[in-house]
Amino acid sequence: MSAVLNEQAAPVPVLEGWFTLDQQRPHLLGTRCTACGTYYFPKLKGYCRNPDCNGESFEEVPLSRSGKLWSFTNASYQPPEPYVQVDKDAFVPFAIAAVELEKEKMIVLGQVVAGTGVESLRAGLTMELVLEPLADGKLTWKWKPVA
Amino acid sequence: MSTNRDIAILGVGMHPWGKWGKNFVEYGVKAARDALADSGVNWRDIQFVSGAATIRNGYPGQVAGATFAQALGWQGAQVNTSYAACASGSQALAAARSKILSGECEVALVIGSDTTPKGFLKPQPGDRPDDPDWVRFRLGITNPTYFALYARRRIEMYGDTLEDFAQVKIKNAQHGLSNVNARYRKVFNAADVAASPMVADPLRLMDICATSDGAAAIIVSSVEYARKIGKAKAPRIAAISTVTPTFASALVEMPDIATDSAVAVPAQSFRAALPRKAYEEAGIGPADVSVAEVYDLSTALELDWIEDLQLCARGDAARLLREGATRVGGRLPVNPSGGLACFGEAVPAQALAQVCELTWQLRGQAGERQVANAKVGITANQGLFGHGSSVIVKA
C-alpha cells in the first residue's frame, strides 16, 4: 500500500536530469565551462564550443529561474509523436515561449503554463519557470508570466 | 578575389515542382537534359558531375552524383556528392567551381533532385533523449514553432502585422502565376490567407511552405570555355558563400531548445553572415543588387532575409513590401520565381532552383515575371545543422 502511494507521489520528469523537481522553485540544469564561463543547456560535457576556448572541464549549474519573454507562439494542432498523443477532440492548443535569461545570455524555449494563451503575452514580460505534467503525467518545465 | 574567380553559367534546367510520386532520379535526368540542351554542351563533354544529396531516398540519394551520372549514361566524368541540408545544391555548385578554378575540369553538371513524403516532416521513431530533434518534438515544438517565434518577434519589435505577412504570400503567388516550374499557380487575396487555419500564431497555413518533388540542374564552366563555345556573355557566378554560423548563436535554431550562451563571446546572426561573405567574395554590395531569391519557408521569413541581405535597414522590410518595392515592377523584386510559397521545398534542388531563376532573369528570359534590367542577383537560404548559402550571379 505504502509502496503504491510512494510511486504515485514520486514525480517523473519527461527528461531525466534536465531540471530539478522542486515544485516550488524548479531550475533548469545546465553546465558551465570552468575556463570561459559559457553556459550550456542542455548540459554539455567534453569540449567547450566557444572557438576561443580549449576548456574541457564543466560544472553542473542551475539556470536562472526567470527571464524576459523574447518571443512566443502556440501549437494550434497536436504536434506529432514523440509528443504524447491525446484524442484529437481532447487536444487543447498551448502557447510556447522563448525566454531570454539575463545572466546566462541565452534564450530557452518551453511551453507556457496551461490556461495562458498568446493573447495575454507580450515581448519583455517577466516569465518564471514552473513544472507541469504533460498528458502522460510526466513533468516538464513551463514558462509562466509573473503577475 | 574578383572577376578572375568567376565561372560561367552555360545552361539551366528544372523539372516542375509538384507531388508526382515518381523516383527522384527521373526528375533529375529531365532537369539535366534540359540544362544540357540550354547550354549546347554535349553530355559526353561534361567532365565533372556534382550531385546534391538527399537523405530521404536512401542509398541512391546519398550517392547522388554517381546516381545521376549513371542514369544519364556513364561516360567517365569525375564525380562528387554533397550534403548540406537546404544548402546541398550550393555546396555541389561550390565543388564544381573549385574543380573549374583549380583547372581540374572546364565544364561541369551540377544537379539536385528530391521526392518528398506526404504531409509534415516527422522525427524518426524511438526514444532518443540525446537527439535534440526527438527532444523538441517530445516537448511539443514543431518546425512551424521556430518560424512563428521569428515572425512574432518582428511584430513585437517592428510593428509588422499579419496583413504584412499575407501580402508576402499574395505577392509571391502573383509572381509564380506564370512560372511553368511552380507547383502552386493560383491568385491569393487577403481574405484567402485570413481564412486559412492558424497553425502557429501568428502564422497561418498559407504563410508556411509545403514540401515538394522537383529537380534543378546547372551547367557551369570556366570563363575561357564559355568564350570558346561562343557564350562569352553568359551570366557569371561571382560568389558562393557556404559559411558556418559563428558561436554564439543569436537565434534558437531548429531543432535546438536553446541558443548558445553569449557570456564569453557576443551573439551573432547566422542568416546575416551568409550574404555578408558573398558580397565580400564578389566585391559587390547590397546597393548593386537588382533581384533576390530568398528562402521563404514562411512569409515573415522573407522579410527577415531582406534585412539580412542588407537590402534595407533592420526592421524596414515590411515598409519595402508595403511600398511595392519587392514585387516585380518595384525597385527591388524579391522571389520573382514565386519563391517557396509557389514551389514548396524540394531540399537538394531548391538552392539550385534559385540560381536557375536568377539566370533566366539576367538573360531576360523570365517572361511575365521578368525583372527589368536585371544585372545582379543574390540568393539566400538556410537549413539544418548550421548549413546555409548565398550565391551572387551577375550579368
Side-chain angles (χ1 to χ4, degrees):
Chain A
M1 183 70 188
S2 64
V4 172
L5 275 179
N6 280 342
E7 202 173 274
Q8 283 175 347
V12 179
V14 63
L15 291 159
E16 193 67 50
W18 282 50
F19 49 91
T20 66
L21 294 172
D22 176 351
Q23 287 281 1
Q24 298 308 311
R25 297 181 56 79
H27 285 272
L28 295 173
L29 292 171
T31 53
R32 191 164 76 119
C33 172
T34 57
C36 74
T38 295
Y39 292 88
Y40 291 94
F41 180 76
K43 293 174 197 168
L44 180 75
K45 288 172 192 157
Y47 303 93
C48 186
R49 291 177 180 174
N50 171 359
D52 302 320
C53 179
N54 288 322
E56 296 180 14
S57 159
F58 296 83
E59 56 184 351
E60 183 174 299
V61 284
L63 302 185
S64 302
R65 294 195 56 250
S66 65
K68 296 270 185 249
L69 186 59
W70 185 84
S71 190
F72 52 94
T73 180
N74 66 6
S76 302
Y77 294 93
Q78 180 161 246
E81 288 180 311
Y83 193 68
V84 184
Q85 302 295 297
V86 297
D87 192 64
K88 210 174 158 191
D89 299 329
F91 175 73
V92 180
F94 56 88
I96 297 164
V99 175
E100 199 165 14
L101 307 182
E102 190 181 6
K103 187 176 78 171
E104 293 83 359
K105 292 194 176 171
M106 68 195 298
I107 297 169
V108 180
L109 305 187
Q111 287 193 18
V112 174
V113 285
T116 300
V118 288
E119 63 288 344
S120 50
L121 299 174
R122 285 289 164 270
L125 280 182
T126 301
M127 305 288 281
E128 72 168 343
L129 199 80
V130 297
L131 301 182
E132 268 189 9
L134 291 165
D136 59 359
K138 291 187 177 172
L139 284 179
T140 188
W141 76 88
K142 292 193 182 182
W143 295 109
K144 180 183 181 179
V146 174
Chain B
M1 293 210 248
S2 63
T3 50
N4 62 343
R5 306 282 297 170
D6 294 346
I7 59 170
I9 302 173
L10 301 181
V12 291
M14 287 168 67
H15 183 288
W17 264 227
K19 286 274 184 187
W20 309 110
K22 294 186 204 163
N23 190 293
F24 75 105
V25 182
E26 203 173 311
Y27 310 141
V29 170
K30 193 268 181 196
R33 287 188 168 188
D34 282 6
L36 285 163
D38 187 40
S39 71
V41 176
N42 190 300
W43 162 236
R44 283 264 186 196
D45 294 332
I46 295 293
Q47 298 155 1
F48 179 51
V49 177
S50 192
T54 167
I55 56 175
R56 274 197 295 277
N57 295 303
Y59 177 65
Q62 289 168 24
V63 291
T67 297
F68 295 125
Q70 183 184 31
L72 286 157
W74 295 128
Q75 42 75 310
Q78 301 177 72
V79 70
N80 176 71
T81 296
S82 302
Y83 179 75
C86 302
S88 297
S90 297
Q91 291 231 347
L93 189 60
R97 182 176 69 161
S98 295
K99 284 268 186 199
I100 291 166
L101 293 180
S102 70
E104 285 182 64
C105 84
E106 288 181 293
V107 59
L109 163 67
V110 185
I111 178 169
S113 178
D114 206 3
T115 297
T116 49
K118 277 191 174 161
F120 292 104
L121 300 179
K122 280 186 296 202
Q124 302 290 318
D127 258 17
R128 298 186 317 283
D130 292 332
D131 175 358
D133 205 40
W134 183 87
V135 165
R136 53 114 175 185
F137 276 105
R138 182 72 175 88
L139 298 174
I141 293 165
T142 62
N143 296 14
T145 303
Y146 295 88
F147 309 138
L149 288 170
Y150 308 152
R152 171 58 66 177
R153 180 73 178 170
R154 293 195 62 84
I155 294 174
E156 299 290 308
M157 293 299 287
Y158 313 132
D160 289 12
T161 65
L162 272 68
E163 291 71 29
D164 291 327
F165 302 155
Q167 285 302 322
V168 174
K169 172 73 178 180
I170 293 163
K171 168 185 74 76
N172 288 341
Q174 187 64 40
H175 287 173
L177 209 54
S178 65
N179 191 341
V180 294
N181 291 312
R183 175 178 173 190
Y184 302 104
R185 279 183 280 157
K186 181 174 175 286
V187 173
F188 279 86
N189 60 34
D192 297 330
V193 182
S196 78
M198 191 64 86
V199 173
D201 187 286
L203 298 178
R204 298 179 179 281
L205 190 60
M206 290 299 119
D207 288 300
I208 301 168
C209 91
T211 60
S212 294
D213 300 357
I218 304 177
I219 309 296
V220 285
S221 77
S222 66
V223 169
E224 184 51 39
Y225 185 93
R227 219 172 267 137
K228 213 163 60 189
I229 65 164
K231 289 187 178 270
K233 292 196 171 156
R236 310 278 177 91
I237 289 176
I240 307 170
S241 162
T242 56
V243 294
T244 70
T246 296
F247 186 92
S249 60
L251 290 180
V252 188
E253 303 282 3
M254 191 161 75
D256 297 339
I257 205 77
T259 61
D260 297 324
S261 152
V263 164
V265 289
Q268 307 218 25
S269 161
F270 179 37
R271 279 199 312 262
L274 290 160
R276 197 186 305 131
K277 169 67 162 56
Y279 287 132
E280 191 185 300
E281 198 175 292
I284 282 173
D288 303 314
V289 170
S290 28
V291 52
E293 280 282 314
V294 305
Y295 227 58
D296 55 321
L297 292 165
S298 83
T299 51
L301 197 62
E302 175 172 306
L303 302 175
D304 283 328
W305 276 121
I306 289 169
E307 294 161 11
D308 293 319
L309 289 170
Q310 302 171 48
L311 301 177
C312 67
R314 192 60 69 184
D316 275 356
R319 188 177 54 76
L320 234 60
L321 172 79
R322 291 174 205 142
E323 289 170 5
T326 58
R327 65 171 184 245
V328 171
R331 67 182 167 83
L332 230 171
V334 176
N335 283 331
S337 69
L340 295 177
C342 293
F343 276 76
E345 191 185 18
V347 175
Q350 211 68 45
L352 296 176
Q354 292 181 318
V355 176
C356 290
E357 175 66 13
L358 292 184
T359 302
W360 284 315
Q361 290 290 346
L362 266 55
R363 288 176 181 169
Q365 295 174 337
E368 286 176 44
R369 61 181 196 281
Q370 180 64 48
V371 173
N373 205 24
K375 296 281 183 239
V376 172
I378 187 165
T379 75
N381 72 55
Q382 186 200 340
L384 288 173
F385 322 120
H387 291 305
S389 70
S390 179
V391 175
I392 293 178
V393 182
K394 64 181 186 187

